Amino acid sequence: MVPLKRRRKDGGAAPIAGVQERAPVNRFPGVEIFLLERRMGSSRRAFLTQLARRKGFRVQDTLGDSVTHLVSESNSGDEVWEWLDRQTGGQMPGSLSLLDISWFTDSMETGRPVEILDRHRLQDALEVLAENAEFSESEGRGLAFRKAGSVLRSLPFAVSRMEDLRGVPCLGEHSRKIIQEILEDGVSGEVEGVLRSERYRAMKALTGVFGVGVKTADRWAREGLRTPGDLLTSGHRLSREQEAGVRYYEDLNCPVTRAEADAIGEIVKEAVHSILPGARVTLTGGFRRGKEAGHDVDLLITHPEEGKEEGLLGKLTSWLDSQGVLLYQRVSEGSGGRGRESGPMDHFHRSFSILKLGEQPGAQPGASSADQTQEAAAPRGQGGAQGRGWRAVRVDLVICPYSQYAYALLGWTGSQQFERDLRRFASQERDMSLNSHGLYQREQNRYLPAASEEEIFTHLGLEFIPPPQRNA
Ligand code: UTP
Ligand code: MN
């Protein structure tokens, strides 16, 4: 029995009575399965594990780096993503495929791993086309590709044939054509062409500069500029914002981790509380939705006594400046109004800023003295975070009156797509107009007050949707 025991320990199955145990060979190199226990249950998981191992599949008990196929049952795509995010701290191994149980059962029936399509590849392809459309100011087309991508992301199964997509909403003709190409040939000629094109590359690099929009990037790209470095040598006049964008280019294009976002939150809280005790600072945006990384830190600031928040932003940014923390800011004056007529933009007193985040325990992985040479070698004005002990972080500081706090919180938590969908629902289904300031009931010609997000959902006749489920 000794060999059997050992076998079981390194991944072999326990014997079933009457069934001859086979050696735990991996008949399919490059395929290592992990079965997600969530919703599947432990006994079914044990049964399926045993089944697969008997057929020569390698099944791992824990989610290690070698796992290539994660199989789940009765979970939505988003649920699996959230679970994975928590397990891996956002560091998802690039080679991992997320698969529905149907891939597993098909493979068991066939006796070999049936072909799958890495859903990432489809999403990435659509994302590239969305960006490319936006680079030519075709917002509508861009949005269509983004919707298609987000629909694929939430499918609870892997796509292997076009028939899998029958009846799936939000997939336009063009998106379907791209998906089909990738399903059949492994790549899409159109997407590859975009990725190779000089224009796309230049637009990608130039719009990656904080303060540079599509129009400006387009003008520069036509003049032959290709990289942020070209901006420094070309003698172009840059706005203060763009100058900061070029100076902190690498930092601002390096994702902000949750630990960094929390650290920024603490710095701002401390400042706010020293200026105005009782004020509230809330981390919103993607981090409130549970994301592990983001492009900026969104902080919403209010005070339970309405009116006390007035004048706070100026004092706060002066305080941050005096501490050497404020690297850049542009203040947008609040109009005070609700801005019902002016579309999705809100009217809060707000600072688009870049803050300096010093070395925080756990917030700066990978910084080592060896990187310092790299920084010294980098072109002037393009230093990265590595090795210098601090990094630049984009931060939005938003001040809101307490009576609008619930609406501001809902509006700033996102995602952007979720907000769009919710606003369209309010308008089309409820004849109401929703934005970050309030909810306006058109027929009654009045604003509906709300003290919490829950109350807003109630006004809309919807069940409360918690932030982690607003990633759509
Ligand atoms: P972000 O652009 O910060 O997105 O806006 P995010 O979801 O946090 O993702 P990353 O990780 O930073 O990229 C957060 C929310 O704030 C709203 C957006 O609509 C989004 O829902 N927002 C943003 C506004 O309401 N007004 C703005 O001027 C900017
Ligand atoms: Mn954000």
Side-chain angles (χ1 to χ4, degrees):
M1 286 313 286
V2 174
L4 241 190
K5 248 191 184 164
R6 193 180 302 143
R7 205 177 296 158
R8 212 173 305 166
K9 213 174 171 186
D10 51 37
I16 302 179
V19 176
Q20 247 233 296
E21 182 74 7
R22 234 187 258 158
V25 286
N26 184 3
R27 288 180 55 210
F28 313 106
V31 177
E32 296 203 12
I33 301 173
F34 173 81
L35 294 162
L36 183 60
E37 188 166 305
R38 187 174 187 277
R39 299 244 164 90
M40 183 183 284
S42 59
S43 57
R44 179 160 163 79
R45 179 176 185 237
F47 169 78
L48 295 176
T49 298
Q50 202 170 349
L51 174 75
R53 285 178 182 163
R54 266 191 291 120
K55 289 182 181 279
F57 288 83
R58 178 155 296 168
V59 184
Q60 300 293 3
D61 294 321
T62 53
L63 183 66
D65 284 343
S66 64
V67 171
T68 55
H69 293 56
L70 186 152
V71 174
S72 68
E73 187 167 34
S74 309
N75 289 276
S76 74
D78 276 350
E79 286 171 324
V80 177
W81 277 96
E82 271 163 37
W83 182 89
L84 256 177
D85 255 359
R86 280 197 303 275
Q87 296 298 307
T88 60
Q91 303 291 307
M92 241 258 304
S95 55
L96 186 62
S97 301
L98 307 187
L99 299 152
D100 178 62
I101 191 73
S102 61
W103 172 84
F104 182 88
T105 45
D106 281 359
S107 299
M108 293 307 119
E109 269 172 32
T110 321
R112 57 174 175 74
V114 296
E115 205 164 324
I116 54 142
L117 188 81
D118 185 350
R119 196 180 309 183
H120 273 131
R121 283 215 325 268
L122 289 179
Q123 275 173 245
D124 290 350
L126 294 168
E127 166 83 24
V128 166
L129 295 182
E131 270 184 325
N132 196 47
E134 285 155 8
F135 289 162
S136 12
E137 295 185 68
S138 308
E139 298 299 330
R141 253 188 331 126
L143 202 57
F145 286 127
R146 285 201 190 281
K147 277 196 178 152
S150 94
V151 141
L152 286 185
R153 185 186 194 282
S154 62
L155 287 181
F157 50 82
V159 178
S160 53
R161 315 166 283 259
M162 283 313 282
E163 294 88 86
D164 294 342
L165 296 174
R166 195 174 294 150
V168 171
C170 299
L171 290 179
E173 215 174 295
H174 197 157
S175 296
R176 282 179 190 272
K177 195 191 114 220
I178 300 296
I179 294 169
Q180 183 163 10
E181 264 187 298
I182 297 177
L183 286 174
E184 287 170 3
D185 311 332
V187 287
S188 151
E190 182 177 346
V191 174
E192 295 304 303
V194 167
L195 284 172
R196 271 196 307 269
S197 78
E198 225 177 303
R199 162 149 177 105
Y200 172 82
R201 289 188 189 181
M203 288 299 286
K204 178 99 180 156
L206 296 172
T207 54
V209 178
F210 174 58
V212 177
V214 168
K215 278 203 174 73
T216 307
D218 180 67
R219 200 174 64 237
W220 289 341
R222 283 172 204 276
E223 290 172 22
L225 301 189
R226 292 290 170 263
T227 67
D230 292 347
L231 285 172
L232 295 178
T233 50
S234 68
H236 276 76
R237 254 189 83 90
L238 300 181
S239 69
R240 219 166 46 83
E241 190 174 29
Q242 292 161 349
E243 222 167 79
V246 174
R247 184 171 313 133
Y248 305 115
Y249 183 74
E250 282 180 24
D251 277 4
L252 300 186
N253 281 290
C254 171
V256 181
T257 65
R258 167 162 288 276
E260 288 167 340
D262 288 338
I264 292 279
E266 287 310 313
I267 291 170
V268 171
K269 252 177 221 165
E270 196 190 306
V272 166
H273 290 156
S274 77
I275 298 161
L276 182 63
R280 281 192 205 164
V281 179
T282 310
L283 181 61
T284 64
F287 290 109
R288 183 162 181 258
R289 303 195 307 274
K291 273 178 46 172
E292 288 297 332
H295 95 282
D296 68 354
V297 180
D298 306 292
L299 294 167
L300 185 61
I301 304 164
T302 189
H303 191 285
E305 268 174 73
E306 185 135 346
K308 285 234 164 157
E309 80 286 352
E310 280 170 31
L312 176 56
L313 190 64
K315 290 179 195 151
L316 169 61
T317 53
S318 297
W319 194 95
L320 294 170
D321 198 19
S322 73
Q323 303 291 307
V325 170
L326 189 69
L327 296 173
Y328 165 87
Q329 79 157 335
R330 178 166 62 83
V331 172
S332 155
E333 294 297 332
S335 70
R338 282 186 163 112
R340 173 164 54 91
E341 301 81 15
S342 52
M345 278 303 285
D346 54 51
H347 298 261
F348 294 122
H349 200 194
R350 158 182 176 185
S351 167
F352 305 81
S353 62
I354 300 176
L355 300 191
K356 179 173 178 172
L357 180 63
E359 200 130 23
Q360 302 286 324
Q364 286 284 326
S368 76
S369 57
D371 296 323
Q372 266 159 7
T373 43
Q374 217 181 354
E375 196 206 335
R380 205 164 54 85
Q382 283 192 68
Q386 296 194 327
R388 67 154 128 69
W390 61 271
R391 68 162 292 182
V393 179
R394 266 279 297 124
V395 180
D396 277 345
L397 301 167
V398 182
I399 309 283
C400 85
Y402 197 63
S403 59
Q404 298 176 19
Y405 175 71
Y407 288 103
L409 182 62
L410 178 62
W412 275 85
T413 297
S415 66
Q416 219 176 359
Q417 186 58 46
F418 175 82
E419 301 298 332
R420 264 197 288 262
D421 291 346
L422 196 62
R423 286 167 197 201
R424 190 180 330 100
F425 174 86
S427 174
Q428 294 181 353
E429 306 296 325
R430 300 289 185 255
D431 198 24
M432 292 177 184
S433 169
L434 172 69
N435 64 21
S436 289
H437 297 271
L439 182 61
Y440 176 74
Q441 207 171 26
R442 293 192 191 116
E443 202 185 334
Q444 318 258 333
N445 190 18
R446 60 166 186 154
Y447 282 94
L448 302 175
S452 65
E453 286 188 323
E454 281 83 351
E455 281 184 36
I456 304 173
F457 282 92
T458 304
H459 286 324
L460 290 169
L462 290 173
E463 254 186 64
F464 180 66
I465 301 170
Q469 283 164 37
R470 299 181 201 164
N471 284 311

